[in-house]
Amino acid sequence: MILDGYRSTWETSETDDLRDLTRSFMAKEVVPNQQRWAEAHQVDREFWNKAGEAGLLCISIPEEYGGGGGTFAHEAVILQEQGFVGDAAWANSVHSTIIAHYINAIGTEEQKRKWLPGMASGDIVAAIAMTEPGTGSDLQNVATKAVRDGDEYVINGAKTFISNGTHADIVIIVARTNDQPGAKGLSLIVAEVADLPGFSRGRVLDKVGQRGQDTRELFFENMRVPVENVLGGEEGRGFVHLMQQLPQERLSIAVGAAAVCEYAVREATAYAKEREAFGTPILSFQNTKFVLAECATEAYSVRAFTDHLVAEHIAGRLTTEQASAGKYWATDAQNRVVDRCLQVFGGYGYMLEFPIARMYTDARVQKIYGGTNEIMKELISRGL
């Protein structure tokens, strides 16, 4: 395959070692459990502690807060290796790559020391509650309210599509803390939800794909949270903070999408070499050759594009437009490549016992969350 021997410009001997570690961890702890997790609609709670023990959580968070002290290069390696086994159950990208960086970038010193070490060990699982039933990508119209009462906020509202919703010990809530319209009234408030009165977890959402990921509705009914839990200690800055962190989230989605493209091509190629029709391997047919050649080329181009964006991000140059382009292009490519590779499997491609079928259903939401791909194009157009 044309990606054999490919090496990203940002890779080092240190990331090579991490890749070996992550690959072994995935083979031992993830791949054997994928079907069981899909049936349970969640990973095992103790799996988070295993990942923490292996040093795979919060790997780009400073060591002084319990993290690995790495960069986004280290996060990218873990995202890639997860994609190379087609896993969409473990929402580490939400926990480590997104939420930990909200706390590290925005949180007060006390907040960092309170939550980040537990997140790095796996003792704390984190979720972020942005989306509401009526808002979708329109965060400026969030209706969840946090009304101050002395030293506490009283929070009322509902959130949906919350990854890590089952296991979450802390939840960053996007809430309206004043009556100013649109973005000006939003704050990020961290709720420690274990046995918290007024907090409840709704139904486990029955998704088309990513069935092993614990995605739920969350409800807040007169839920009280200390004022000191406003992330960064300042009200009304929530929307600004969200916009600052979204490029890394979108790049993370793109990196995972590129890895799945490559995995799909490798799986389809291996199958085409073994599967016979009319007495010959189907790889000998011109149509199969051309489809896989086209998919391999697309996987190569997406990997190269996302690697460039990773290098830009490590250098501190990644823009909103670049991250948006990467997210939209890589996830569109993921859906195209996986769909075409599934066709190579024929009827077996529609059987969930084959990884390609799970990749197919898992891929579709990639064009929706993190900001829909239509929104990505709108953001790109603003920089034209």
Side-chain angles (χ1 to χ4, degrees), residues 60-98:
S60 60
I61 294 299
E63 292 180 353
E64 62 184 299
Y65 303 122
T71 69
F72 187 78
H74 299 80
E75 298 286 0
V77 166
I78 297 172
L79 290 165
Q80 287 174 341
E81 290 302 319
Q82 188 175 3
F84 289 156
V85 297
D87 179 66
W90 180 35
N92 180 53
S93 61
V94 174
H95 176 94
S96 295
T97 316
I98 299 171

Side-chain angles (χ1 to χ4, degrees), residues 39 44 126 146 166 180 215 289 322 324 354:
E39 293 169 357
D44 303 322
T166 297
Q180 293 189 63
T215 310
K289 290 179 182 178
Q322 288 173 327
S324 300
F354 282 76

Side-chain angles (χ1 to χ4, degrees), residues 8 10-11 15 18-19 22 59-60 70-84 92 97 248 251-252 254-256 259 303 306-307 309-311 313-314:
S8 307
W10 45 264
E11 292 188 73
T15 61
L18 174 62
R19 190 176 297 281
T22 307
I59 199 165
S60 60
T71 69
F72 187 78
H74 299 80
E75 298 286 0
V77 166
I78 297 172
L79 290 165
Q80 287 174 341
E81 290 302 319
Q82 188 175 3
F84 289 156
N92 180 53
T97 316
Q248 176 158 302
L251 178 57
S252 300
V255 169
R303 176 77 179 272
T306 55
D307 276 346
L309 297 180
V310 170
H313 188 37
I314 293 168

Side-chain angles (χ1 to χ4, degrees), residues 240-251:
V240 173
H241 294 324
L242 289 169
M243 294 305 103
Q244 290 172 343
Q245 297 300 314
L246 280 172
Q248 176 158 302
E249 176 181 349
R250 288 162 179 164
L251 178 57

